[in-house]
Amino acid sequence: MIYRILVDEKWNWDEEKSEAVLRPVPILKGPASALADIMWEMHLPAPDLSNPRVRFYFTEFGWRKIGRLMTSVGKKRGYLVKVIRRRTPQRSQIVYRDQLQMAILPDKRKKG
């Protein structure tokens, strides 16, 4: 299995309305912006890949070592965190791989 963390919005307290409101994550969607400090602290390699279709997933080992912590911290910080779990892709889809993560291209044959 491989695991992808999606971070979408953040709960913030609105003083004027005296209620919690959802705010979009600034600049980028995903853990690259919202939880970058955790990735940095855990020394997660950041390969420079130029293809915008590439998606990063944690390997089983990376999920246990870093992914679960990132998910927990994201939730504690008020982000809406979703984890997508899928089977390991075909070798032809893998653009980058190390012990903790892999970057894959989506399967063109499947919609969605």
Side-chain angles (χ1 to χ4, degrees):
M1 283 290 177
I2 58 174
Y3 305 83
R4 179 168 168 78
I5 300 172
L6 301 177
V7 178
D8 204 8
E9 299 171 321
K10 184 175 181 175
W11 288 101
N12 289 80
W13 186 257
D14 188 325
E15 293 291 336
E16 293 177 11
K17 296 180 181 179
S18 294
E19 64 182 21
V21 294
L22 283 174
R23 303 270 188 232
V25 174
I27 305 169
L28 298 171
K29 289 182 93 173
S33 63
L35 301 174
D37 57 330
I38 301 299
M39 292 187 290
W40 179 262
E41 290 169 15
M42 300 296 287
H43 305 289
L44 186 66
D48 186 22
L49 301 175
S50 59
N51 189 328
R53 293 178 44 236
V54 168
R55 301 293 180 258
F56 280 87
Y57 287 79
F58 284 104
T59 62
E60 196 75 44
F61 178 76
W63 174 250
R64 288 190 308 271
K65 184 112 174 139
I66 297 175
R68 289 190 301 191
L69 173 66
M70 285 181 58
T71 301
S72 174
V73 170
K75 288 177 181 179
K76 286 178 186 172
R77 290 182 182 178
Y79 291 104
L80 297 178
V81 179
K82 180 179 180 181
V83 177
I84 297 173
R85 203 174 69 158
R86 64 173 278 188
R87 290 189 177 144
T88 304
Q90 298 174 17
R91 287 190 333 192
S92 61
Q93 290 178 268
I94 300 172
V95 176
Y96 171 86
R97 182 182 181 122
D98 62 33
Q99 190 177 19
L100 301 170
Q101 65 189 331
M102 73 173 56
I104 65 170
L105 291 170
D107 190 349
K108 288 183 177 182
R109 294 174 287 176
K110 293 183 180 179
K111 300 273 181 177

